[in-house]
Amino acid sequence: MPVSLFICPLCQSPLQPATDTWRCDGSLHPKQTSHPFDVARQGYVNLLPVQQKKSKAPGDSQASISARKRFLNNGHYAPLQHLISQKMVALLSPSEHVAEPTAMQHSKPVNWLDIGCGEGYYTQAMAQLGSEVIDTIVAADISKPALVELAKVSKASEHLWYQKNAATKNTMIYPLVTSAANLPLRAHSVTGISSIFSPILPKAFADVLTADGYLIIAKPDVGHLATLRDALFDSVREHDSDKFLQELSPYFTLIDTHRVNANMTLAADDLADLMTMTPYAYRARSEKRQALLAAVDNVSFTTEAKFVVYVLQKMADK
C-alpha cells in the first residue's frame, strides 16, 4: 500500500482514504488505537476534532456561502480566478530548459493544498486548468456547509477523489473539513499551497510543503471596493496587503507579485450578495447597508475590485 498523503488529526498516524470510512492505523497512538472518520454522503470528510473547534459551527455561515456562490458564479472575480490558476500551472509546468513535467521529474504525485477553499470557486478552476500537472488538490476549510457545496460540484464535474478513473487525467479533489493550524497532511507532502483571502500560517505551511514548494497568496489590494467602503463606513482604514510578508520571511522567499483589477457594475441583488459574503455584513451598521441598497434599487452601483497575488517559494533548508 502506498504511503498515505493524510495523517490522523487525533494521533498523527497514517490515515488511509476509503469510499465509506477513512481509518488511521493507530501506529503512533500510545495504545495503538485506530480512529475512523466517515465519508459524508456528499463526499467530503470531516477531520476537525471537537477539541479543535472554537465554536459549535465554525467558519462561514450558509448565508455567506450562498451569497458568495451567487456572486462569484456571475463572474465578478473571474480575472482573479484566472490569474491564480494560470500562475499555479506555470509554476508546475516544465520550463523551456526542463524536458519533463513536474510529476515526471519527481516520479511521484503532485499534490496541491487550497487552504480556506470555501465552496470551491478557485479550487474548481485549478482542477480544470491544472489537469495536466496536478494529481490531487486537497481542498481544506473549517466550514462544513462550504465543503458540502464543494463536494457536490466536484462530484458533478467528476473531480471528486473517489471518482478517480485511469482512463482520464482529471485532477482529483479531496474536500476536507479541517483546521489550517492542524493540517491532517504528512510532512513535506504537498508541492504547492494557495491561500485566497484565508489564514497565513508560515510554519504550518512550511511543514507540509516539499523542499522548494510554492505558496500563492491572494489578498485585497489598496483601494479594493473603495466606493463600497466609503458608502458603508464613516472612516475607512486602507488594506495593508503585504503586512504578513515579514512573518513569512523566515520560511519563504518572495519570487513574484501580481496585481489584478476588476471594474464591476452591480445590480442591487449582486451588491447585497457582495456585502453578505464580506466582513462588511457585520462591520457596517445595518442602517448604512439598507440605505445603500435602497439607493441602488433602480440604479446600478459601480465599484472596483483590486487584488494583489504573491508567489513565494519555500527555502530549501526549512
Side-chain angles (χ1 to χ4, degrees):
M1 184 178 295
V3 177
S4 178
L5 171 62
F6 306 99
I7 61 172
C8 176
L10 295 172
C11 69
Q12 288 71 59
S13 300
L15 178 64
Q16 197 64 44
T19 53
D20 53 354
T21 302
W22 291 24
R23 192 179 301 275
C24 77
D25 64 13
S27 57
L28 298 180
H29 191 276
K31 297 182 179 179
Q32 304 292 294
T33 301
S34 173
H35 300 106
F37 301 89
D38 291 338
V39 177
R41 61 181 177 83
Q42 296 91 348
Y44 72 89
V45 182
N46 192 337
L47 297 180
L48 183 66
V50 173
Q51 56 266 41
Q52 291 181 16
K53 291 185 178 182
K54 295 182 179 179
S55 65
K56 187 175 181 181
D60 291 339
S61 66
Q62 185 61 61
S64 175
I65 292 160
S66 297
R68 187 166 60 229
K69 185 177 178 181
R70 289 190 298 266
F71 182 86
L72 294 177
N73 284 348
N74 283 337
H76 297 300
Y77 284 7
L80 176 64
Q81 183 197 53
H82 185 62
L83 175 67
I84 290 170
S85 299
Q86 266 194 328
K87 296 306 172 186
M88 181 197 71
V89 171
L91 289 173
L92 301 176
S93 297
S95 70
E96 60 186 35
H97 305 295
V98 180
E100 298 290 346
T102 301
M104 294 299 292
Q105 292 173 45
H106 298 288
S107 300
K108 58 185 179 183
V110 174
N111 306 309
W112 191 275
L113 169 63
D114 188 21
I115 195 75
C117 62
E119 74 297 327
Y121 175 72
Y122 301 97
T123 316
Q124 295 296 326
M126 292 176 194
Q128 294 287 350
L129 198 59
S131 60
E132 293 300 317
V133 292
I134 300 177
D135 297 276
T136 297
I137 297 178
V138 177
D141 201 288
I142 205 168
S143 168
K144 186 164 74 172
L147 269 296
V148 170
E149 295 288 341
L150 172 55
K152 287 178 181 177
V153 176
S154 299
K155 186 174 183 180
S157 62
E158 297 189 343
H159 285 278
L160 195 57
W161 58 278
Y162 58 63
Q163 295 176 303
K164 188 171 180 63
N165 185 339
T168 63
K169 185 62 176 74
N170 281 357
T171 298
M172 307 317 294
I173 297 173
Y174 286 79
L176 301 182
V177 180
T178 185
S179 162
N182 298 281
L183 292 166
L185 295 169
R186 179 168 44 84
H188 315 305
S189 60
V190 299
T191 309
I193 298 174
S194 47
S195 177
I196 305 166
F197 317 127
S198 294
I200 307 297
L201 299 168
K203 187 177 186 307
F205 291 173
D207 286 346
V208 298
L209 276 172
T210 57
D212 301 326
Y214 297 104
L215 173 60
I216 295 178
I217 295 172
K219 291 286 184 185
D221 201 3
V222 173
H224 178 63
L225 303 179
T227 57
L228 176 58
R229 289 185 291 131
D230 287 342
L232 291 175
F233 302 102
D234 296 329
S235 62
V236 177
R237 187 173 63 182
E238 198 50 81
H239 292 286
D240 185 5
S241 306
D242 59 1
K243 63 182 179 182
F244 57 87
L245 291 176
Q246 187 173 354
E247 300 171 23
L248 288 162
S249 61
Y251 304 92
F252 294 91
T253 301
L254 180 66
I255 58 176
D256 221 341
T257 303
H258 305 273
R259 284 179 162 80
V260 58
N261 300 350
N263 290 305
M264 301 185 296
T265 301
L266 305 176
D269 286 348
D270 270 352
L271 181 58
D273 281 340
L274 177 58
M275 285 192 282
T276 301
M277 69 184 242
T278 64
Y280 309 153
Y282 56 86
R283 289 180 184 167
R285 297 199 307 270
S286 177
E287 58 268 27
K288 285 270 193 178
R289 297 197 307 270
Q290 295 307 317
L292 177 57
L293 289 173
V296 301
D297 196 28
N298 297 310
V299 181
S300 297
F301 182 81
T302 301
T303 192
E304 186 177 15
K306 295 186 174 184
F307 308 106
V308 56
V309 176
Y310 303 97
V311 181
L312 302 99
Q313 189 167 27
K314 179 183 169 182
M315 296 178 185
D317 59 344
K318 295 296 180 179

